[in-house]
Amino acid sequence: MDYKEFERLLKVCRLRLGEDEKEKMKKDIDEILSYFNEIDKVKGDAEPAYQPIDLPEQLREDSVIPFEDVDAILSNTKTYRFYVIGPKI
Amino acid sequence: MTGIKEFIMKNPDGKYYKKLTEELARLNSELNAFNNINFSVSSGYPLSVKDNICVKGVETTASSGVLKGYKPPFNATAVERLLGKGFGFIGKTNMDEFGFGSFGLNSANPSRNPFDKERVAGGSSSGAAIAASIIENHIALAESTGGSIAAPASFCGVVGLTPTYGVVSRYGLIDYGNSLDKIGLIGRRAQDIKYAFDIIRGSDRYDATCIDMPKGSETQNPIRKLIVLENLLEHVEENVRDSFENTISKLSGLGFEIENKKAEELESSIAVYYIIAMAEASTNLAKYTGFKYGNSLGDFSKDYNEFFTEARDKFGEEAKRRIVLGTYIRSASVRERYYYKALQIRRRIGQRLSGMAKDGGIILPTMPMLPPKLSEAKELSPLQSYMVDMLTVPANLTGLPHISFPTDYKNGLPVGTQVIGAPYEEYRLLDLAETWEKGFRYRFAYNLGSL
């Protein structure tokens, strides 16, 4: 992976790293990606397995299940009246 | 040694739990098994819960600074079911952050092995395995993505069951890799695990991927044949390989038919597993934005990007690495090359492995080495650490049930062996471990909570 691509990824990932951290991570990532080439040795002619076991499709009614303890959910956030406060967009 | 039923019959009083939790707190300062201990527990069979599984009103962080202070307003289904059947919650167990690790080191308080405190406990369910190893009467609710139950169970000398993917509800689990995560159990005896597994398994309206086991799963014929995958033994350290061969001889003496096979397809398992796991992890970690789950930054004058970036400073080094790699793997330009290819190979590996497992249990050492020293494990590069999962990844990648149990002690350290079954063969695996336990006495460094 070239350095420009690595910098682009950090930006996309919203991660900020110090110069030493960057250098180490870049080196580790190159080593790991190079190892991932192992998969080139195997044929990829099967259907992709999105799940490891074939599970039956299970659908449920599209209905509202009330959650009683709303205060407990909001206790994990900063709130104004009954609004959750978030950053500006 | 008492089983769960005998323990419940004896009905210990509040003094028992007070003594247990106080002793735990003392030992915890040396071993870092628990992220928090519930000193108000006063009844029930002691149950610990891995810190990525939600317990209502109890801080649940998955050992990540990103989730510091998060108190879920609900119980995970597995927790709800166990508490409903009289289990007593004693605390949240330590782990590698979000499950990212095989040694228990990716935590603010790295775990230590009860057999030798200079050595690692294994990961990522490090605390769950330590708790099972030090508490006589206890069951640990744990979770595995690529080996996080079997690995620490092996290093800490206890029994770990990783169920078939989808048999235990994942509702209330902090996701790592949705197509890989399985909630399972760690304990000292196969029969205790069987008791708890009966309670937690089965469909759940809150998890669309969770199903009931087919009828008759509890009463299948015992496993008679064990298949050794020779080519996976090549990278196993000599002392563990010698020990494994000795275990195979003992099992042969117990009447098991042993067959040697090779499965070259499995050699790409580590690469396939990490590609899928990182792709899924990087999407799962995107929800930690700094204002929804506990750790709130509070300074809302910043714009969203600045705010989000600051929130993500709290991720540990391994989490950051997986975010970057997973995001790259999912990029439009390389998605076909890595992610889809890995999913295709997963199907081939799954077909090969489950085909063999229908013929007999697949048997392997759980880990390729004895528990290393913390100082040694810290010296490994990330890739070298991933390679340690070589024996636990195949079953995890393909969602097959497996059990790890102690089969030997080398240099005073436990050695574990794993048996992999076909889907829904958990009871056959537990029966096999019980058969083993009749002739092999497990050792423990501590026995807290004796009756």
Side-chain angles (χ1 to χ4, degrees):
Chain A
M1 185 188 296
D2 63 38
Y3 213 82
K4 202 174 149 198
E5 171 72 0
F6 180 61
E7 288 285 356
R8 188 193 68 83
L9 271 174
L10 289 179
K11 197 174 166 200
V12 170
C13 295
R14 307 289 189 275
L15 288 174
R16 55 181 178 193
L17 304 179
E19 285 307 314
D20 288 354
E21 274 183 295
K22 270 189 201 172
E23 200 172 310
K24 181 174 185 313
M25 185 181 285
K26 172 84 170 55
K27 184 171 160 279
D28 289 338
I29 281 180
D30 283 341
E31 189 188 15
I32 294 163
L33 282 175
S34 154
Y35 177 72
F36 284 170
N37 292 336
E38 278 287 307
I39 64 171
D40 295 342
K41 296 179 188 166
V42 188
K43 266 198 227 162
D45 51 359
E47 273 292 298
Y50 291 97
Q51 287 182 320
I53 299 274
D54 287 327
L55 296 170
E57 189 174 33
Q58 301 190 99
L59 301 174
R60 58 172 173 77
E61 284 298 307
D62 186 14
S63 57
V64 175
I65 304 172
F67 189 87
E68 304 296 339
D69 202 355
V70 175
D71 287 345
I73 295 178
L74 293 179
S75 71
N76 282 298
T77 63
K78 288 211 168 26
T79 54
Y80 169 70
R81 295 166 66 191
F82 51 86
Y83 297 102
V84 173
I85 307 176
K88 292 184 291 184
I89 295 178
Chain B
M1 200 181 268
T2 43
I4 293 184
K5 285 178 191 161
E6 294 91 320
F7 180 93
I8 294 166
M9 295 263 287
K10 287 190 178 175
N11 193 24
D13 60 14
K15 277 187 203 158
Y16 169 85
Y17 297 95
K18 187 169 183 292
K19 183 165 177 266
L20 170 64
T21 49
E22 283 174 2
E23 284 177 351
L24 264 185
R26 271 197 295 279
L27 193 51
N28 199 46
S29 62
E30 299 174 33
L31 299 176
N32 292 325
F34 284 82
N35 283 354
N36 55 60
I37 293 170
N38 176 23
F39 292 100
S40 60
V41 60
S42 58
S43 66
Y45 190 81
L47 166 75
S48 68
V49 179
K50 185 174 178 179
D51 204 18
N52 60 351
I53 302 173
C54 291
V55 177
K56 187 175 179 178
V58 177
E59 186 181 39
T60 296
T61 67
S63 291
S64 180
V66 160
L67 277 166
K68 196 165 174 52
Y70 173 60
K71 290 186 178 173
F74 65 104
N75 282 324
T77 296
V79 171
E80 185 77 13
R81 288 180 181 175
L82 288 166
L83 295 182
K85 291 285 183 185
F87 281 70
F89 167 67
I90 60 166
K92 301 301 298 286
T93 50
N94 195 3
M95 57 183 286
D96 287 289
E97 183 182 11
F98 289 110
F100 303 153
S102 310
F103 296 120
L105 296 177
N106 294 330
S107 164
N109 302 301
S111 294
R112 290 171 181 271
N113 196 303
F115 285 84
D116 177 350
K117 295 182 184 99
E118 296 303 310
R119 293 179 185 272
V120 304
S124 70
S125 307
S126 48
I130 299 170
S133 183
I134 63 176
I135 308 170
E136 184 172 333
N137 299 291
H138 156 266
I139 273 287
L141 197 59
E143 175 274 337
S144 175
T145 307
S148 290
I149 289 177
S154 173
F155 277 178
C156 292
V158 287
V159 186
L161 175 73
T162 310
T164 311
Y165 177 82
V167 158
V168 178
S169 169
R170 289 183 291 120
Y171 178 69
L173 171 71
I174 295 171
D175 302 308
Y176 162 2
N178 307 55
S179 79
L180 297 158
D181 297 340
K182 286 110 8 206
I183 287 182
L185 297 155
I186 301 180
R188 282 189 170 195
R189 292 161 286 258
Q191 61 159 316
D192 294 345
I193 292 178
K194 193 184 279 180
Y195 184 98
F197 179 64
D198 274 337
I199 296 169
I200 62 172
R201 70 182 173 88
S203 58
D204 175 19
R205 69 171 177 164
Y206 295 121
D207 178 359
T209 58
C210 181
I211 56 165
D212 289 320
M213 293 172 83
K215 283 203 171 62
S217 299
E218 305 96 314
T219 53
Q220 297 175 66
N221 292 331
I223 292 174
R224 288 267 164 248
K225 185 172 169 182
L226 294 169
I227 300 165
V228 180
L229 293 182
E230 285 177 324
N231 57 316
L232 291 191
L233 297 180
E234 284 165 16
H235 306 290
V236 175
E237 279 183 8
E238 199 177 341
N239 50 5
V240 175
R241 208 166 53 227
D242 290 348
S243 167
F244 178 69
E245 279 164 13
N246 190 27
T247 299
I248 292 294
S249 302
K250 284 185 187 170
L251 286 163
S252 175
L254 286 171
F256 289 94
E257 180 193 340
I258 309 292
E259 187 180 326
N260 289 305
K261 280 195 177 174
K262 284 188 180 167
E264 274 85 13
E265 300 93 324
L266 270 57
E267 286 170 15
S268 63
S269 298
I270 292 264
V272 170
Y273 166 75
Y274 274 98
I275 289 170
I276 297 172
M278 286 177 181
E280 294 186 8
S282 65
T283 57
N284 279 320
L285 296 185
K287 62 178 160 285
Y288 303 112
T289 49
F291 64 95
K292 280 192 291 191
Y293 299 105
N295 178 46
S296 180
L297 297 179
D299 180 3
F300 296 110
S301 65
K302 292 174 178 158
D303 76 18
Y304 188 84
N305 282 332
E306 287 172 332
F307 191 90
F308 196 32
T309 303
E310 189 177 331
R312 288 158 78 84
D313 282 343
K314 295 272 193 270
F315 283 125
E317 186 184 335
E318 182 60 29
K320 287 177 184 168
R321 191 157 39 237
R322 294 191 191 205
I323 289 170
V324 174
L325 269 164
T327 305
Y328 176 67
I329 287 162
R330 291 184 292 106
S331 316
S333 58
V334 295
R335 199 160 44 208
E336 295 274 340
R337 165 157 176 25
Y338 291 114
Y339 185 59
Y340 290 119
K341 178 87 187 275
L343 292 175
Q344 288 174 316
I345 302 174
R346 165 152 80 175
R347 184 170 302 280
R348 285 173 67 101
I349 294 173
Q351 284 167 344
R352 177 81 170 118
L353 210 52
S354 58
M356 272 195 289
K358 278 179 192 144
D359 188 33
I362 296 165
I363 189 164
L364 289 164
T366 308
M367 297 301 280
M369 49 163 49
L370 293 173
K373 291 187 172 165
L374 272 76
S375 54
E376 294 165 345
K378 280 177 186 166
E379 288 300 312
L380 297 176
S381 75
L383 181 60
Q384 286 170 323
S385 301
Y386 302 164
M387 300 307 283
V388 169
D389 301 339
M390 67 174 90
L391 302 173
T392 57
V393 150
N396 277 280
L397 174 67
T398 53
L400 297 181
H402 51 289
I403 193 163
S404 174
F405 48 96
T407 47
D408 199 3
Y409 297 88
K410 286 265 178 196
N411 310 333
L413 298 166
V415 182
T417 295
Q418 63 171 325
V419 180
I420 304 165
Y424 317 114
E425 287 192 345
E426 283 80 350
Y427 288 95
R428 294 184 90 197
L429 299 174
L430 287 161
D431 287 345
L432 185 146
E434 274 194 66
T435 303
W436 174 258
E437 288 170 5
K438 282 177 192 155
F440 185 84
R441 196 177 167 81
Y442 298 157
R443 299 178 202 166
F444 303 104
Y446 301 91
N447 278 307
L448 308 190
S450 298
L451 276 176

